[in-house]
């Protein structure tokens, strides 16, 4: 039997459960995650936000499984920001499902146990002779629907019932194919994203942002802006701690706010108007330690660019800031943390309602856009939605740091590496300053799974612009360089790419299994202008192998097919795992074949998907995603596929074109 306190201690979540279950007419509420109303209808509260990764669907599946009800019968609610009630609510580092699965299952299992106990008491039979199935408790041919048991179950103490989890062999929902619980709402426009927030009297603000890096507002003249019909006021943001500065134009509509911004006159000062990302890259390369070339070996240097997050939904937030309460609606990756941070900073209570997010990829862990909305609402004395245009989003992001990598390998007689060195020069993350030590950079990036001894070092230089978490963080750079280097070594020695890696994975049975599983699915035969790229990755408690087929016979490399085998332990939502792989692969194709951020004369050159060359749908390859089952603990998936997919695609392009990989994007100027 697991009591409430023991449950909390076991799962590591600080969850304030209402205890015991109460009989107030509200139904059965054994904890904050699951409840049944008087009619037996099941609702689950999802404590973490959904930014497209599908956590709401997985939570609904967990509840449906343990409560023995159809998935479609589980209603989903999004929890507000409240760490005291729901524990840590941030999403990142592919932890959502890993950290939620056990507490949610136990929460639902507790509800089921209460219902079964109530039925057993009514029938006067042992609990062990009763079972839950299809929304009923059954005993030897008789059945009671949950609705008939809610009242009695709510009068029981959850701490007094045993709530075993459903054995994996009996799963009817988990591990089965299922669509997103909110798919219909998303495709019909009923789903509410941050941009959809509507309030009575809501105003709109857009911000005139610094034109070059680090520029500060010296003066502004808003006379012409205020003359635009619908424009109400302007707000200087340079004094707002945590925001990026500029002048907000607040208006009755988005069109008026944009017209007002265009009419605004600003003078800027300071910053780095001469900054050039080519010089930054040269500094990083120069910072790489020089290792003596091995007698029988190979050395290569890789240069990786700045990358923007570019979610489909640009940054936005809506605030209603009053003297005694601030209410915020925002697509955020951490509603609880945001609420706590803002409450401390503002000195008044703050309520945070997370909306759906049109992508996040690490950008929405930050709070600058929320601070802008609060400042504007305070100044306007009304609720205000701050909108970022696509250009705002692209040119004022917190970018993935540039990096330079020098890899050296000493080769044995058979061409396999027997010793290696990987030197990295990069920047820290300015949005989280303590994330700028070599130790943390290595902890994030160094996940080399192959049995090759050696040394990996990181040199961290001060970042010359705003940098932040980007999908897979530093692993996206480390693994890219390491796998591209490994592919070059294999090609140099005339090895088959899969077999070359197999020889180095004797100590990594999970990685070897996924590599073999993926290779067994591929029937591709390389030829002139056609090649197969291979890469593996082991992180987040999961293992993956990616094989990418590239055709460069038409001159422009095209990724025809990607085969991936992944071991996340138990795939609770197989469709979601496949979707995460496909998303990571498309990010990989985008960054390997074109997307990069460059800075000239202090300005980010790219402004939208027009020149930040993210892959279009016609660049999507055929996918074959294989789920490799294992008894490993539940692993993470959201960021797993990007690093090996990028390396596999780049290596295939190199083989198909005969031009080695020297950076990202391939065959392009990086800085």
């Amino acid at each position: 039997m697991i009591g409430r306190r023991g449950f909390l201690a076991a799962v590591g979540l600080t969850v304030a459960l209402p205890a015991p279950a109460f009989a107030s007419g509200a139904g059965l509420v054994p904890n904050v995650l699951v409840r049944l109303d008087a009619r037996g209808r099941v609702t689950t509260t999802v404590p973490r936000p959904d930014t497209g990764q599908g956590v709401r669907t997985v939570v609904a599946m967990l509840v449906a499984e343990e409560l023995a009800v159809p998935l479609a019968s589980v209603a989903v609610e999004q929890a507000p920001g409240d760490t005291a009630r729901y524990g840590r609510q941030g999403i990142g580092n592919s932890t959502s499902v890993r950290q939620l699965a056990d507490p949610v299952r136990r929460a639902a299992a507790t509800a089921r146990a209460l219902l079964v106990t109530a039925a057993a008491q009514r029938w006067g039979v042992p609990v062990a002779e009763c079972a839950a199935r299809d929304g009923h408790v059954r005993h030897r041919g008789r059945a009671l629907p949950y609705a008939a048991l809610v009242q009695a179950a709510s009068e029981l103490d959850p701490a007094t019932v045993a709530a075993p989890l459903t054995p994996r062999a009996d799963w009817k929902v988990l591990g089965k194919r299922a669509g997103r619980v909110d798919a219909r709402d998303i495709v019909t426009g009923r789903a509410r994203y941050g941009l959809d927030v509507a309030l009575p009297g809501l105003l709109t603000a857009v911000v005139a942002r610094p034109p070059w890096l680090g520029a500060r507002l010296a003066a502004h003249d808003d006379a012409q802006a205020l003359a635009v019909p619908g424009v109400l006021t302007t707000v200087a943001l340079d004094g707002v701690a945590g925001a990026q500065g500029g002048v907000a134009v607040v208006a009755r509509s988005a069109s008026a706010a944009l017209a007002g911004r265009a009419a605004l006159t600003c003078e800027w000062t300071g910053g780095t108007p001469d900054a050039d990302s080519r010089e930054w890259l040269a500094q990083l390369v120069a910072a790489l330690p020089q290792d003596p070339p091995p007698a029988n070996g190979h050395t290569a240097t890789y240069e990786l660019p700045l990358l923007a997050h570019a979610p489909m939904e640009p940054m936005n937030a809506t605030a209603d800031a009053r003297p005694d309460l601030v209410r915020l609606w925002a697509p955020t990756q951490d509603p609880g943390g945001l609420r706590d941070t803002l409450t401390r900073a503002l000195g008044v209570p703050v309520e945070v309602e997370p909306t759906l997010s049109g992508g996040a990829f690490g950008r929405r862990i930050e709070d600058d856009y929320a601070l802008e909305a609060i400042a504007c609402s305070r100044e306007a004395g009304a609720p205000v939605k701050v909108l970022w245009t696509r250009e705002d989003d692209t040119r004022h992001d917190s970018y993935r740091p540039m990096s330079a990598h020098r890899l050296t390998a000493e080769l044995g007689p058979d061409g396999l590496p027997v010793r290696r060195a990987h030197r990295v020069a990069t920047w820290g993350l300015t949005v989280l300053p303590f994330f700028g030590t070599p130790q943390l950079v290595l902890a994030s990036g160094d996940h080399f799974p192959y049995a090759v001894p050696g040394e990996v070092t990181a040199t961290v230089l001060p970042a010359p612009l705003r940098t932040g978490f980007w999908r897979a963080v530093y692993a996206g750079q480390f693994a890219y360089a390491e796998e591209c280097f490994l592919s070059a070594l294999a090609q140099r020695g005339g090895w088959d790419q899969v077999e070359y890696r197999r020889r180095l994975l004797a100590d990594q049975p999970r990685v070897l299994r996924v590599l073999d599983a993926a290779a067994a699915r591929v029937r591709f035969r390389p030829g002139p202008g056609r090649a197969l790229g291979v890469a593996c990755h082991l992180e987040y408690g999961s293992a993956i192998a990616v094989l990418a087929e590239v055709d460069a016979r038409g001159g422009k490399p095209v990724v025809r097919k990607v085969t991936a085998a992944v071991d996340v332990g138990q795939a609770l939502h197989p469709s979601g795992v496949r979707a995460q792989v496909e998303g990571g692969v498309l990010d990989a194709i985008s960054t390997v074949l074109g997307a990069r951020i460059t800075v000239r004369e202090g300005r980010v050159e790219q402004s939208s998907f027009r020149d930040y060359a993210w892959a279009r749908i016609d660049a999507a390859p055929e996918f074959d995603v294989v789920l490799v089952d294992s008894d490993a603990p539940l692993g993470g998936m959201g960021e797993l596929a990007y690093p090996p997919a990028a390396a596999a695609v780049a290596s295939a392009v190199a083989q198909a074109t005969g031009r080695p990989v020297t950076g990202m994007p391939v065959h392009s100027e990086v800085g």
Side-chain angles (χ1 to χ4, degrees), residues 60-87:
M61 294 175 73
L62 294 163
V63 170
E65 185 67 69
E66 294 300 338
L67 261 171
V69 297
L71 175 60
S73 69
V74 178
V76 174
E77 290 181 349
Q78 187 67 52
D82 190 343
T83 52
R85 190 170 176 79
Y86 298 104

Side-chain angles (χ1 to χ4, degrees), residues 105-117:
R105 287 185 69 191
R106 294 191 183 282
T110 299
R112 184 226 318 139
L114 291 167
L115 293 162
V116 171
T117 302

Side-chain angles (χ1 to χ4, degrees), residues 513-515 517-519 543-546 563-567 624-628:
R513 282 188 67 203
V514 294
L515 177 60
I544 186 171
V546 179
T563 301
V566 58
D567 173 3
D624 183 10
V625 180
V626 185
L627 305 185
V628 178

Side-chain angles (χ1 to χ4, degrees), residues 252-450:
R252 297 192 187 281
S253 67
S255 59
L258 289 167
R261 183 173 74 169
L264 194 66
T265 300
C266 295
E267 295 180 15
W268 305 92
T269 186
T272 52
D274 298 326
D276 191 310
S277 53
R278 291 170 296 193
E279 296 178 3
W280 299 340
L281 185 61
Q283 292 166 3
L284 291 170
V285 173
L288 289 170
Q290 294 284 350
D291 290 311
N296 179 28
H298 184 61
T299 297
T301 300
Y302 300 92
E303 301 171 350
L304 275 66
L306 291 161
L307 291 176
H309 294 84
M312 288 303 295
E313 181 189 18
M315 298 302 106
N316 66 89
T318 299
D320 185 2
R322 304 184 183 190
D324 57 347
L325 176 67
V326 173
R327 301 187 68 197
L328 183 73
W329 296 260
T332 171
Q333 289 181 237
D334 188 6
L338 182 60
R339 180 195 187 216
D340 294 346
T341 299
L342 293 176
T343 298
R344 287 193 299 270
L346 302 177
V348 297
V350 177
E351 296 177 356
V352 175
E353 295 287 344
T355 66
L356 283 175
S357 299
F361 315 118
R363 176 65 174 94
R364 297 190 200 276
I365 202 72
E366 302 164 37
D367 58 8
D368 53 316
Y369 52 99
L371 293 166
E372 292 176 349
I374 293 169
C376 291
S377 177
R378 280 183 159 174
E379 181 67 22
V384 175
K385 179 189 296 179
V386 165
L387 300 179
W388 288 46
T389 64
R390 175 60 59 194
E391 182 175 330
D392 292 338
D393 205 68
T394 304
R395 289 185 165 162
H396 300 273
D397 196 8
S398 52
Y399 303 95
R400 188 179 86 165
M402 300 181 87
S403 61
H405 305 252
R406 180 166 294 132
L407 292 94
T408 302
E410 179 182 346
L411 303 178
D414 53 5
L416 290 167
V418 296
R419 187 160 187 82
R420 73 184 184 109
H422 183 178
R423 311 300 183 187
V424 182
T426 186
W427 307 325
L429 305 183
T430 64
V431 299
L432 196 61
F434 81 85
F435 212 109
T437 67
Q439 293 78 13
L440 280 176
V441 169
L442 290 170
S444 169
D446 185 17
H447 301 282
F448 190 72
Y450 303 99

